[in-house]
Amino acid sequence: MAKSSHANGADSPTFAALEPAGADPVDIAARYEADLRVRADGGSWLVMNMIASVDGAIAIDGVSGGLGGAPDRQVFSALRGLADAILVAAGTARAEGYGPPRMSERAGERRWARGQAPTPLVALVTRSLDLDPTTSLFVDAERRPVIYTTERSDPERRDALSDVADVIDAGDAQVDLAEVVRDLGDRDCRVVLGEGGPSLNAQLFADDLVDELCLSLSPLVVGGAGGRILRGAELPFRAHMSLDRVLCADDFLFLRYLRGPR
């Protein structure tokens, strides 16, 4: 990807053309697998994966599925296939009807060859513990999920969820996401895949925990009052991301951004 001369102090930026019609086919699983994801400090690498419409909406009727298509599903599956853990807010898990992650036979073989567990660990973030322990996410899980909450969370909900998940205190009144990521690292989760929602995303960026942003741009224009991929007006911050790659398929764009030096 061409670098902007403007960013280096030149008078004008350098532009590069993207020609989708002339691009060679890409093996999505192999391409994302080939990306280097190693932190200099040895900690877990956090990838955030989100989808948005051309006009910036992140959901249709409250869920993201309506924005996607076959290409987006392939990228989604490729990133899940690489992840050691999937980090998601409880509200997003409820809204999107999360179940246990399932791997294709091919993805399972790739994970085995890399020495990974057969499926990613599901890690949920919630202060309220507003989760139903009888849903498929828990009762059908191949791996016992982890729930990160606070010391002030409801004792009765904690007891109910402790039967189906590891419930971990990661803060007093607020969930400390740096502590969450450290704990996942202690569980040998080298690549953590963040799947939202927007408030969790904003906190992860504000705490400088995001190493990579994979943003899928859907060709839809949906209007309305759809939110952004980050939501948190109480968290003023700026983070520069460097564009590493652009892939395209069926009018979708798949952007990979990397966090600059801290």
Side-chain angles (χ1 to χ4, degrees):
M1 183 60 59
K3 301 296 183 181
S4 170
S5 60
H6 183 70
N8 297 324
D11 292 335
S12 60
T14 299
F15 288 84
L18 176 67
E19 300 292 346
D24 293 329
V26 174
D27 182 324
I28 288 297
R31 186 66 192 88
Y32 281 84
E33 183 179 336
D35 293 327
L36 183 65
R37 295 184 174 90
V38 179
R39 283 182 62 110
D41 62 6
S44 297
W45 181 278
L46 198 144
V47 186
M48 184 181 291
N49 183 37
M50 294 295 291
I51 188 170
S53 68
V54 169
D55 58 326
I58 60 169
I60 297 176
D61 296 329
V63 295
S64 62
L67 293 171
D72 173 65
R73 288 192 292 272
Q74 287 189 39
V75 170
F76 177 84
S77 296
L79 286 168
R80 278 198 161 192
L82 290 168
D84 297 302
I86 296 169
L87 182 65
V88 61
T92 295
R94 289 193 304 269
E96 300 283 350
Y98 267 49
R102 305 296 187 198
M103 299 290 106
S104 67
E105 182 177 354
R106 183 187 182 204
E109 291 172 350
R110 288 175 179 266
R111 293 179 69 86
W112 181 86
R114 293 193 297 267
Q116 289 179 287
T119 59
L121 175 69
V122 174
L124 297 128
V125 176
T126 171
R127 288 182 297 171
S128 67
L129 291 180
D130 185 12
L131 291 161
D132 183 351
T134 68
T135 59
S136 174
L137 178 61
F138 298 108
V139 299
D140 296 327
E142 295 180 21
R143 299 180 67 184
R144 185 177 171 90
V146 179
I147 300 173
Y148 293 100
T149 188
T150 69
E151 296 174 6
R152 300 186 188 182
S153 59
D154 184 270
E156 292 185 4
R157 289 181 176 178
R158 178 189 295 269
D159 288 344
L161 288 165
S162 293
D163 290 337
V164 293
D166 293 342
V167 182
I168 308 295
D169 289 336
D172 178 20
Q174 303 287 335
V175 177
D176 183 335
L177 294 178
E179 186 174 337
V180 168
V181 174
R182 281 194 299 271
D183 185 75
L184 289 171
D186 291 342
R187 295 170 185 266
D188 203 27
C189 296
R190 310 320 304 167
V191 176
V192 178
L193 176 62
E195 293 187 348
S199 295
L200 178 62
N201 292 345
Q203 188 65 62
L204 287 168
F205 264 106
D207 291 347
D208 199 17
L209 296 170
V210 179
D211 299 288
E212 175 181 350
L213 170 62
C214 292
L215 177 62
S216 301
L217 281 184
S218 167
L220 297 179
V221 178
V222 301
R228 294 155 45 186
I229 66 169
L230 272 67
R231 181 178 64 240
E234 74 280 7
L235 299 170
F237 63 89
R238 292 184 182 181
H240 182 82
M241 304 293 287
S242 297
L243 182 61
D244 177 74
R245 179 175 66 234
V246 180
L247 299 176
C248 55
D250 296 347
D251 297 324
F252 284 82
L253 291 179
F254 301 94
L255 314 177
R256 182 183 191 240
Y257 287 93
L258 299 176
R259 182 73 170 91
R262 270 115 174 133

